[in-house]
Amino acid sequence: MDNNLSLRVLTCPDSLRQLSGEWAELCSRCPASTPFQRPEWLLPWIQAFHTRDLYVLEARDQQRLVGLAPLFLYKRPGDTILAPLGAGITDYLDWIIDPALESQVLRGFLDFLQHSDAGWDRLEMTDLPAGSALLRSGLPAQHCRQSNACPVLFIAPGAKCLTDVVPAKKRRNLINARNRARREGNVSIEIAGEAQLNELLDAMLRLHTTRWNESGKPGVLADPAVQEFHRLAAPLLLRSGVLRFYGLRFERKLIATLYALVDPQIAYCYLQGFDPRYRELSPGAQLLGAVIEDAIRDGKRAVDFLRGQEPYKYSWGARDEFTYTLQFGRRVVNSSPTMTETAA
């Protein structure tokens, strides 16, 4: 381990909150990180789900924050598990490591865990993105498995409009839906600022739950803790420029919402909801079309529909990317073969 690298464990939320500025700056230096690793997402998760037994590893190089492994401990019969903060409602879970010091920080974290006195039996990292440093960690490949499909619509460099990105049939359907809505009445799409945020949040909670209730299921937003999480996280994400919250109004009434997160390269479509009484206006498609158009205009390289293989995602031209689950106990940490070598 580099002599300049120092590690410590953070076990209380106040320590993490004090770190939030440096944490956000570290995320901005890590191209592989997603909005789901940011403090504006994970700090509200800790608060809303009353998470105890935090075990967050911090790495510094000459006082500069260069790595963060946001973990917590929980017990299940026969095991104490180290798991990533954000689990359950987060599509991508990962550690945040400055790419300039990836190997040093990663080895430092793994060595630290190997000798820690936290009493953990297994580390279970679920939904790691394909670019995660942990998948290049030197851990044996038999401890890694494919997890979930995340359909992604890739935007070619130089794309100017939907014609350059979206299949012709889908473009025609979108044009027809927009024309039909305009014939029926006054329709508009907006992106929430602080003044509109609570209204769109209320609409999202109502519309998403209504949509799921149609199929006899409660939906993720039926859980009061999840609702509290979004109430806490949304203002922070909005102020940091990460949240892009779309609403579709018909005759001034919100009939659809889309909760998107953005980073410099990718727009992530996290949650949608629409009023089923306006199904014939294709409100979900209208909002997705707006997200894709904005991503093209902003020069992003992809729109990520996140986990789940719903057919509508592929109709836009998305193709599957996969997340991975990495599970191992203490004795595996010092294994010598790399993931690539073992797989080969």
Side-chain angles (χ1 to χ4, degrees):
M1 189 167 62
D2 192 308
N3 291 333
N4 294 322
L5 197 66
S6 60
L7 277 72
R8 67 168 178 160
V9 179
L10 306 176
T11 59
C12 68
D14 284 345
S15 297
L16 287 174
R17 280 191 285 270
Q18 292 169 13
L19 195 67
S20 59
E22 291 179 283
W23 181 351
E25 197 274 332
L26 173 62
C27 288
S28 72
R29 301 201 311 270
C30 300
S33 72
T34 74
F36 301 112
Q37 279 75 64
R38 294 183 62 90
E40 298 92 345
W41 184 269
L42 292 181
L43 290 175
W45 186 91
I46 293 169
Q47 183 175 344
F49 293 96
H50 307 287
T51 308
R52 299 178 181 178
D53 296 322
L54 298 178
Y55 200 79
V56 179
L57 302 186
E58 173 202 85
R60 291 183 178 272
D61 179 55
Q62 298 183 349
Q63 304 304 312
R64 189 187 195 199
L65 184 67
V66 293
L68 205 67
L71 301 166
F72 74 106
L73 292 152
Y74 75 92
K75 292 186 180 296
R76 67 183 183 199
D79 280 320
T80 298
I81 307 300
L82 263 177
L85 296 178
I89 63 168
T90 303
D91 292 73
Y92 293 120
L93 298 159
D94 204 359
W95 297 353
I96 314 136
I97 299 176
D98 189 321
L101 291 167
E102 179 182 296
S103 61
Q104 299 98 310
V105 173
L106 193 55
R107 178 46 56 187
F109 281 162
L110 293 173
D111 286 346
F112 191 95
L113 289 174
Q114 173 73 8
H115 299 100
S116 77
D117 59 1
W120 66 278
D121 299 301
R122 294 188 63 78
L123 175 64
E124 297 188 353
M125 293 297 301
T126 57
D127 286 306
L128 288 167
S132 171
L134 272 164
L135 299 179
R136 301 185 295 273
S137 63
L139 295 165
Q142 64 264 30
H143 295 271
C144 180
R145 60 178 174 81
Q146 199 174 87
S147 185
N148 288 301
C150 295
V152 177
L153 175 64
F154 291 96
I155 300 171
K160 300 296 183 185
C161 62
L162 289 179
T163 302
D164 300 323
V165 177
V166 175
K169 181 179 179 181
K170 193 64 180 182
R171 294 199 311 272
R172 289 194 298 269
N173 290 343
L174 177 60
I175 291 169
N176 290 337
R178 288 171 169 174
N179 290 338
R180 186 162 54 249
R182 282 193 287 266
R183 288 195 299 269
E184 293 290 332
N186 184 30
V187 62
S188 62
I189 291 176
E190 64 188 57
I191 299 176
E194 290 192 14
Q196 299 82 26
L197 182 59
N198 284 336
E199 182 187 8
L200 264 71
L201 268 173
D202 289 339
M204 180 184 76
L205 296 173
R206 181 182 72 252
L207 295 171
H208 187 271
T209 301
T210 299
R211 179 184 174 194
W212 277 94
N213 286 346
E214 272 195 324
S215 61
K217 300 176 182 178
V220 65
L221 292 180
D223 184 341
V226 176
Q227 295 184 23
E228 182 187 2
F229 164 76
H230 286 294
R231 297 282 186 197
L232 294 168
L236 302 176
L237 292 164
L238 185 69
R239 285 195 287 272
S240 67
V242 173
L243 175 62
R244 193 168 286 176
F245 206 158
Y246 292 78
L248 177 67
R249 291 188 188 272
F250 181 75
E251 296 297 328
R252 298 186 179 182
K253 178 182 179 181
L254 275 169
I255 65 168
T257 59
L258 194 156
Y259 188 103
L261 304 173
V262 297
D263 64 25
Q265 297 295 319
I266 301 173
Y268 303 84
C269 297
Y270 181 68
L271 277 176
Q272 297 183 66
F274 67 88
D275 190 327
R277 293 175 296 179
Y278 297 90
R279 193 186 306 272
E280 71 279 1
L281 302 182
S282 303
Q286 292 202 54
L287 288 182
L288 281 171
V291 171
I292 296 168
E293 287 173 327
D294 286 348
I296 295 169
R297 181 203 64 213
D298 295 343
K300 300 195 184 303
R301 65 176 179 84
V303 174
D304 192 331
F305 292 99
L306 300 176
R307 63 188 173 196
Q309 294 178 293
E310 294 89 345
Y312 78 86
K313 298 178 180 180
Y314 303 102
S315 71
W316 291 95
R319 64 177 187 264
D320 284 340
E321 296 287 299
F322 292 93
T323 61
Y324 297 85
T325 294
L326 189 62
Q327 299 176 319
F328 55 85
R330 285 179 183 253
R331 65 181 179 81
V332 175
V333 172
N334 288 328
S335 299
S336 57
T338 65
M339 301 285 290
T340 304
E341 288 168 346
T342 307

